[in-house]
Amino acid sequence: MENWLKKRVLLSPNKIAIQAGNTKLTFKEVSDRVAVLTARLANKSRKGMRVALLTNNTIDGYLMILSLQQLGCEIVFLNKRLSHEELQYQLEDAAVSLLIYDESLLHEEFVGIESLTFNQIESLEESRDFQLVSEFNDDEVTTIMYTSGTTGKPKGVQQSFKNHFYSAISSALNLGLTDKDNWLCAVPIFHISGLSIIMRGLIYGMTVTLMDKFDAEKVTFLLKESSVSTMSVVPTMLQQLLEIFPQEGYNSNFRCFLLGGGPIDKVTLEQCQQRNIPVIQSYGMTETASQVIALNFEDAENKIGSVGKTLFSVELKLAHDGEVLLKAPNITPGYLNNPEKNQEVFENGWFKTGDIGYLDEDGFLYLKGRKGDMIISGGENIFPHEVEESYLKLTGVKDIVVAGITDKKWGQVPVAFVILERKLSQQELISYGREHLAHYKVPVRFYQVMSYPQTASGKVKRRELIQIKEYQKNLIK
Amino acid sequence: MENWLKKRVLLSPNKIAIQAGNTKLTFKEVSDRVAVLTARLANKSRKGMRVALLTNNTIDGYLMILSLQQLGCEIVFLNKRLSHEELQYQLEDAAVSLLIYDESLLHEEFVGIESLTFNQIESLEESRDFQLVSEFNDDEVTTIMYTSGTTGKPKGVQQSFKNHFYSAISSALNLGLTDKDNWLCAVPIFHISGLSIIMRGLIYGMTVTLMDKFDAEKVTFLLKESSVSTMSVVPTMLQQLLEIFPQEGYNSNFRCFLLGGGPIDKVTLEQCQQRNIPVIQSYGMTETASQVIALNFEDAENKIGSVGKTLFSVELKLAHDGEVLLKAPNITPGYLNNPEKNQEVFENGWFKTGDIGYLDEDGFLYLKGRKGDMIISGGENIFPHEVEESYLKLTGVKDIVVAGITDKKWGQVPVAFVILERKLSQQELISYGREHLAHYKVPVRFYQVMSYPQTASGKVKRRELIQIKEYQKNLIK
């Protein structure tokens, strides 16, 4: 494949590539800045080297990504929410030789790793003797992102140029593509949700509007006053935006929200329908270089609860136990330094998502839960999600997490950790379950908690929960 | 890659896939018809078999293409304008085992090849025991088209699924893509210009409007009254359409013409600008599965004479002699049964187009002529095209073809074959050339002719011209 940035300078030099605040750069200007940056970085990095990047959603961070790509480095994206110790683990696991960071994000150096702040790079001398990559090779890894998952050590997900390319193409074949598209990125660029917007920008020749931190008021202003056409959101962002939805609506170029990070609730969906705001719900993960399955707006009402249909170039099949298997050119070549995990999740070219689901007669996918979370009790499968959904309808239950514990008689039985808004007795909770669920699905014990252990991206560490003694202290009477 | 038709039935079952006259079929309906057709064809054809197809631009022909693709056959497209003998050559060269044809197009059977008319297929029994292809393999050849070129025997150009896929994607990245797109196909589906529209339809989930024969009045009616957004045209079609351009303009969904088969002239371009009709000029060939280079409307005026810039995913470089070399996933895996030709045109993954050109400072390509047509005279290169362009400005010269003949002193010298509208003497013709061209470029002799030998697709057989004695009869006095 050709070098995307070079190609953009050829095809659309004067188009705005990136804008943030009052700064706007065309593809030609981006390329010129990248030329200077690469000359500075060339002293410290070269093709094939792994360079970690710790950045906010800033133009500097954007330019750094593009520059490292031009130098042929593998970029290890660091999550700014992680602890120093967690980051140290990732830097070591990836054998990173250089860390580049925004000075506002780090106040303590890492042991044994050369570091450069954005400012320090500014004052590096420009090398005259260095090579930029002439082509982007399909199978070459360009980015690495660690996913914490809910168990085990974080795993470095490798993403190749092909992964990003097909991800962008699949998305365009679903959402369409116009020369007026302008994608607002208020999700972190160190996550695939944000990075994929930047990659789409390069591949489509599309303007990306960068915002460092989601702010409903500021976003609404942009959606009204600028020419933003598309925006990636998670459910809470969408809800906040709907709360202050302007009477006059968004700008005429606005096309849709792309929703990740969980399904839309019925109330929110209805609000979007009333206001004529298309929301595309999407399913994807770091391992699939963003969305691979999407539920379009026109199907949302009839297919509530579904994650949608596989995008063009993505194939899906269900394993015997209902696990969702995917095959697509956007799926990671594998986890870094993790042959066991790779052997576990890949089989004959199929990637095991770990999600259990089923397809309806129209090919829409519905998820029941994570394979690892599934509780097998007396030979019956219990999906915590189903039990939780049921209990969330009981007044007084603010939140609930269900997990399995080993049991001599049944193998496993479900127990529940609840956050209560009003007093509910053990007996009331169990009775409610027996009314609404098959008996084997009803948690055998309910514990009261105040919060849950979570990963950096906000996923509840379900299996960790049952191992923490503290959480099992308050058995509800 | 997944099976495109299956995917379309999953993603957009109720969208109109194809329409012709009053018939409209959704992707689901197309798939249902294909299911019946494949069951009938399964008795006669199976995976890997080469099946020739001789059809007009009809829904029957369209369904036949899709059915043969589902059966995994390689489809050899026959040009209905060819003679029986020419077709016989292609059928034999491709070792075709079955010929399927529209009864209106053929009245004489071919020796040694089983044939079935569309009607005969209707009455075949439906097989119950057959397999459709589950996936479309990237590198599998799905279609073969013979190109006559201007010299030698016709060559069978193989086109893989990957070729068609990337061709569609490159085009979408240039033209954009909306869910209201509707592409009018009035160019033959047995040519890549037409077939590529059908493939785009499948890949995009786009409506294709099929017209059997270009008719300016009918096309104008569709452009006004239907929702056609895009249309592939050659220069003469565009000129005819402009002549009867309706005052009220085309329908509001109309986006652009995609022009192939030669550059636009200045007058036509100005007419398009005045009428606000975007024209994308494109360069491509059977070997590149349609367009690989395009000149967008906004550049047309400043870059008159250029064929444009390489589309996304297409790389270009110029050889020492200026020959245009291309590397792209849409380039043919090679000519059928023609190792010598393949060795000649492929070098380290680059495809030699045979066109000589140069790039301007903005990366726009300009073509000077065909490599084989270049005349080397006393060490100087002469491109017939340049000489011809110059003479076409001389009143009285209706058409002119310049070719090289061997010469003892200079190696080669140019001679010209002209069609005159008024009397011009040998002396006048030569004087005109000396005024406007370097002396070595001026043809040494002018012959008067009434027409030129042409290939089926209308290309002048330049090199044949100079070998035909008859054409050298009328030396102008």
Side-chain angles (χ1 to χ4, degrees):
Chain A
M1 230 180 302
E2 76 256 82
N3 180 316
W4 300 337
L5 180 58
K6 276 194 206 167
K7 191 70 177 196
R8 274 299 141 212
V9 174
L10 170 68
L11 291 179
S12 49
N14 302 319
K15 179 121 189 214
I16 301 295
I18 189 90
Q19 56 186 42
N22 292 323
T23 310
K24 289 182 184 193
L25 297 178
T26 64
F27 281 100
K28 178 69 174 63
E29 289 164 342
V30 165
S31 170
D32 291 344
R33 301 246 190 145
V34 164
V36 175
L37 256 179
T38 48
R40 288 179 178 145
L41 287 168
N43 296 303
K44 300 284 184 179
S45 54
R46 69 206 148 291
K47 186 154 173 59
M49 210 167 110
R50 237 169 248 151
V51 179
L53 182 63
L54 181 60
T55 182
N56 290 309
N57 278 15
T58 59
I59 287 194
D60 280 345
Y62 168 87
L63 292 171
M64 214 58 81
I65 294 170
L66 267 51
S67 299
L68 291 169
Q69 242 176 10
Q70 292 301 314
L71 287 162
C73 299
E74 296 182 359
I75 311 168
V76 179
F77 283 92
L78 297 182
N79 181 337
K80 65 179 182 183
R81 301 196 198 102
L82 293 185
S83 72
H84 202 268
E85 193 184 321
E86 287 170 310
L87 292 177
Q88 178 86 42
Y89 171 80
Q90 297 183 9
L91 292 168
E92 283 170 13
D93 186 64
V96 160
S97 1
L98 177 66
L99 164 65
I100 295 176
Y101 66 98
D102 184 322
E103 26 279 293
S104 71
L105 291 176
L106 197 66
H107 306 288
E108 193 186 343
E109 297 267 308
F110 289 98
V111 183
I113 287 153
E114 188 180 358
S115 311
L116 283 173
T117 68
F118 285 6
N119 277 335
Q120 285 168 339
I121 291 169
E122 288 282 308
S123 56
L124 286 178
E125 219 174 305
E126 291 180 32
S127 169
R128 283 160 190 281
D129 178 30
F130 68 101
Q131 272 212 310
L132 299 182
V133 295
S134 56
E135 296 183 343
F136 283 2
N137 291 317
D138 277 24
D139 293 322
E140 208 170 285
V141 171
T142 176
T143 51
I144 295 168
M145 289 179 176
Y146 276 79
T147 48
S148 49
T150 51
T151 54
K153 285 276 185 191
K155 302 177 292 290
V157 179
Q158 304 180 92
Q159 294 153 343
S160 66
F161 284 108
K162 184 173 74 181
N163 294 160
H164 291 301
F165 181 76
Y166 272 92
S167 170
I169 295 305
S170 301
S171 178
L173 288 176
N174 186 40
L175 301 181
L177 188 62
T178 86
D179 58 0
K180 291 185 294 182
D181 283 354
N182 176 338
W183 203 305
L184 176 56
C185 176
V187 288
I189 59 178
F190 55 77
H191 274 173
I192 189 61
S193 53
L195 180 66
S196 63
I197 298 172
I198 291 176
M199 294 297 111
R200 278 180 215 123
L202 273 181
I203 295 163
Y204 302 162
M206 174 184 70
T207 303
V208 173
T209 299
L210 213 52
M211 182 177 264
D212 192 27
K213 221 176 160 172
F214 175 78
D215 175 311
E217 301 265 350
K218 281 187 193 161
V219 168
T220 300
F221 178 80
L222 281 178
L223 292 175
K224 262 173 63 185
E225 306 297 335
S226 80
S227 63
V228 165
S229 63
T230 320
M231 181 187 179
S232 296
V233 291
V234 294
T236 162
M237 290 183 185
L238 183 58
Q239 282 150 10
Q240 289 177 57
L241 290 173
L242 286 171
E243 271 170 28
I244 55 169
F245 184 75
Q247 234 179 346
E248 59 276 37
Y250 294 149
N251 81 82
S252 63
N253 197 37
F254 181 76
R255 297 211 290 129
C256 65
F257 286 115
L258 182 70
L259 180 80
I264 200 170
D265 60 279
K266 211 177 160 183
V267 175
T268 309
L269 175 65
E270 278 166 7
Q271 285 178 334
C272 291
Q273 286 171 328
Q274 280 156 17
R275 285 154 196 185
N276 203 14
I277 314 174
V279 178
I280 315 304
Q281 300 177 63
S282 70
Y283 164 95
M285 52 195 101
T286 311
E287 286 88 338
T288 62
S290 122
Q291 35 157 357
V292 277
I293 296 175
L295 182 65
N296 287 337
F297 197 49
E298 61 269 28
D299 296 319
E301 195 172 348
N302 291 324
K303 302 290 181 180
I304 280 182
S306 167
V307 293
K309 297 187 282 193
T310 48
L311 298 184
F312 206 88
S313 91
V314 178
E315 293 175 81
L316 179 150
K317 70 177 183 185
L318 298 175
H320 283 304
D321 61 359
E323 183 172 6
V324 177
L325 310 184
L326 297 173
K327 184 153 84 171
N330 20 350
I331 287 173
T332 178
Y335 299 106
L336 196 65
N337 309 327
N338 210 330
E340 307 80 30
K341 191 74 192 167
N342 288 333
Q343 198 164 13
E344 185 188 320
V345 301
F346 290 104
E347 199 173 293
N348 297 325
W350 291 89
F351 172 72
K352 301 179 187 170
T353 62
D355 283 319
I356 303 283
Y358 64 94
L359 294 168
D360 74 5
E361 70 282 8
D362 298 320
F364 285 80
L365 179 70
Y366 292 77
L367 295 182
K368 291 158 77 174
R370 293 288 300 164
K371 186 174 178 177
D373 295 338
M374 195 175 74
I375 303 161
I376 305 177
S377 187
E380 299 279 3
N381 295 343
I382 303 169
F383 291 95
H385 185 67
E386 186 196 354
V387 181
E388 290 160 7
E389 285 293 301
S390 172
Y391 271 97
L392 282 172
K393 291 180 196 143
L394 172 60
T395 318
V397 175
K398 193 177 173 211
D399 212 341
I400 176 166
V401 172
V402 171
I405 56 164
T406 50
D407 181 86
K408 267 192 197 158
K409 188 169 174 194
W410 303 106
Q412 279 187 303
V413 288
V415 296
F417 301 88
V418 288
I419 299 178
L420 292 180
E421 279 176 330
R422 68 171 180 96
K423 208 175 142 33
L424 281 168
S425 71
Q426 187 78 222
Q427 192 47 49
E428 282 173 307
L429 286 162
I430 289 177
S431 299
Y432 175 84
R434 296 210 166 163
E435 258 175 62
H436 295 88
L437 293 163
H439 282 205
Y440 66 88
K441 294 181 184 171
V442 179
V444 297
R445 281 189 292 286
F446 288 81
Y447 299 97
Q448 187 168 3
V449 298
M450 304 305 284
S451 67
Y452 303 107
Q454 293 183 343
T455 67
S457 58
K459 285 181 272 186
V460 172
K461 296 177 172 174
R462 199 185 296 271
R463 274 164 284 175
E464 204 164 283
L465 193 58
I466 54 170
Q467 282 154 19
I468 300 174
K469 282 276 175 294
E470 195 193 326
Y471 281 86
Q472 293 169 33
K473 265 199 244 163
N474 294 310
L475 184 69
I476 295 173
K477 299 280 158 60
Chain B
M1 227 179 304
E2 77 256 80
N3 180 316
W4 300 338
L5 179 58
K6 276 194 203 165
K7 191 68 175 197
R8 274 297 141 212
V9 174
L10 169 68
L11 292 179
S12 48
N14 303 318
K15 180 121 187 214
I16 301 295
I18 187 94
Q19 57 187 40
N22 293 321
T23 310
K24 289 182 182 194
L25 296 178
T26 65
F27 282 101
K28 178 70 173 63
E29 289 165 340
V30 165
S31 170
D32 291 344
R33 301 246 190 146
V34 164
V36 174
L37 256 179
T38 49
R40 289 181 178 146
L41 288 168
N43 296 303
K44 300 284 185 178
S45 54
R46 68 205 149 287
K47 186 155 173 56
M49 210 167 109
R50 234 168 251 152
V51 179
L53 182 63
L54 181 61
T55 181
N56 290 309
N57 277 15
T58 59
I59 288 195
D60 280 345
Y62 169 88
L63 293 171
M64 212 61 77
I65 295 169
L66 268 52
S67 299
L68 291 169
Q69 243 177 9
Q70 292 300 315
L71 286 162
C73 299
E74 296 182 0
I75 310 167
V76 179
F77 283 91
L78 299 183
N79 182 336
K80 65 179 182 182
R81 300 197 199 102
L82 295 184
S83 72
H84 201 267
E85 193 184 322
E86 286 169 310
L87 292 176
Q88 178 89 40
Y89 171 79
Q90 297 184 7
L91 293 168
E92 281 169 16
D93 185 63
V96 160
S97 4
L98 177 67
L99 164 65
I100 294 176
Y101 66 98
D102 183 321
E103 27 279 294
S104 71
L105 293 175
L106 196 67
H107 305 287
E108 190 187 346
E109 296 269 305
F110 289 98
V111 183
I113 289 154
E114 188 180 358
S115 312
L116 282 173
T117 67
F118 286 5
N119 277 335
Q120 283 168 341
I121 290 168
E122 288 283 307
S123 55
L124 286 179
E125 219 174 305
E126 292 180 30
S127 168
R128 283 160 189 282
D129 177 33
F130 67 100
Q131 273 211 312
L132 299 182
V133 297
S134 56
E135 296 182 343
F136 283 2
N137 291 318
D138 277 24
D139 294 320
E140 208 171 285
V141 170
T142 176
T143 50
I144 295 167
M145 288 178 178
Y146 276 79
T147 50
S148 48
T150 50
T151 54
K153 282 278 184 190
K155 302 177 291 289
V157 178
Q158 304 180 91
Q159 295 154 343
S160 67
F161 285 107
K162 184 172 75 181
N163 293 160
H164 291 301
F165 181 76
Y166 273 92
S167 170
I169 295 305
S170 301
S171 178
L173 288 175
N174 186 41
L175 301 181
L177 189 61
T178 87
D179 58 1
K180 290 186 293 182
D181 283 353
N182 176 339
W183 203 307
L184 176 56
C185 176
V187 287
I189 59 179
F190 57 77
H191 274 172
I192 189 59
S193 53
L195 181 66
S196 63
I197 299 172
I198 291 177
M199 294 297 109
R200 281 181 211 121
L202 272 180
I203 294 164
Y204 303 162
M206 173 183 72
T207 302
V208 173
T209 300
L210 210 53
M211 184 179 264
D212 192 27
K213 220 175 164 175
F214 175 77
D215 175 314
E217 301 265 350
K218 282 188 193 161
V219 167
T220 299
F221 178 80
L222 281 178
L223 291 174
K224 262 174 63 186
E225 306 296 337
S226 80
S227 62
V228 165
S229 62
T230 320
M231 183 186 177
S232 297
V233 291
V234 293
T236 164
M237 290 183 186
L238 182 58
Q239 283 150 9
Q240 289 178 56
L241 290 172
L242 286 170
E243 271 169 29
I244 54 168
F245 184 75
Q247 234 180 346
E248 59 275 39
Y250 294 151
N251 81 83
S252 63
N253 197 37
F254 181 77
R255 299 211 290 129
C256 67
F257 285 114
L258 182 69
L259 180 79
I264 199 169
D265 61 280
K266 213 179 159 183
V267 175
T268 309
L269 175 64
E270 278 166 7
Q271 286 179 333
C272 291
Q273 286 171 328
Q274 281 156 15
R275 286 156 195 184
N276 203 16
I277 313 174
V279 178
I280 316 303
Q281 299 176 63
S282 70
Y283 165 93
M285 53 197 100
T286 311
E287 286 87 338
T288 62
S290 121
Q291 35 158 356
V292 278
I293 296 176
L295 182 66
N296 288 335
F297 197 50
E298 60 269 28
D299 296 319
E301 196 173 350
N302 291 324
K303 302 290 182 180
I304 282 183
S306 167
V307 293
K309 297 189 282 194
T310 47
L311 298 184
F312 206 88
S313 93
V314 178
E315 294 175 83
L316 179 150
K317 71 177 181 187
L318 297 176
H320 284 303
D321 60 358
E323 183 172 7
V324 177
L325 309 184
L326 297 172
K327 184 154 83 173
N330 18 351
I331 287 173
T332 178
Y335 299 104
L336 195 67
N337 309 326
N338 209 331
E340 307 81 31
K341 190 74 192 169
N342 288 332
Q343 198 164 13
E344 184 190 322
V345 300
F346 290 104
E347 196 171 297
N348 298 325
W350 291 88
F351 171 72
K352 301 179 188 170
T353 61
D355 282 319
I356 305 284
Y358 64 94
L359 294 167
D360 74 6
E361 69 282 8
D362 298 318
F364 286 79
L365 179 69
Y366 293 76
L367 295 182
K368 291 158 77 175
R370 294 288 300 166
K371 188 174 176 178
D373 294 338
M374 195 174 75
I375 302 162
I376 306 177
S377 188
E380 299 280 4
N381 295 343
I382 303 168
F383 290 96
H385 185 67
E386 187 196 351
V387 180
E388 289 159 6
E389 284 294 299
S390 172
Y391 271 97
L392 282 171
K393 290 178 195 142
L394 172 58
T395 320
V397 174
K398 194 177 173 209
D399 211 344
I400 175 168
V401 172
V402 171
I405 56 164
T406 50
D407 181 87
K408 268 189 194 158
K409 187 171 176 192
W410 304 107
Q412 278 187 302
V413 289
V415 296
F417 302 87
V418 289
I419 298 177
L420 294 179
E421 280 174 330
R422 69 174 178 95
K423 208 174 144 31
L424 282 167
S425 70
Q426 188 77 223
Q427 192 48 51
E428 283 171 308
L429 287 161
I430 289 176
S431 301
Y432 175 85
R434 296 210 165 160
E435 260 175 61
H436 295 88
L437 292 163
H439 282 204
Y440 67 87
K441 293 181 185 170
V442 180
V444 296
R445 279 191 292 285
F446 289 81
Y447 298 98
Q448 186 168 0
V449 298
M450 304 306 283
S451 67
Y452 302 107
Q454 294 184 343
T455 67
S457 59
K459 286 181 274 186
V460 172
K461 296 177 173 175
R462 199 183 297 270
R463 275 166 283 173
E464 202 163 289
L465 194 57
I466 54 169
Q467 282 153 19
I468 301 176
K469 284 275 174 294
E470 195 194 327
Y471 282 86
Q472 294 168 33
K473 264 198 247 168
N474 296 309
L475 183 71
I476 294 173
K477 300 279 157 67

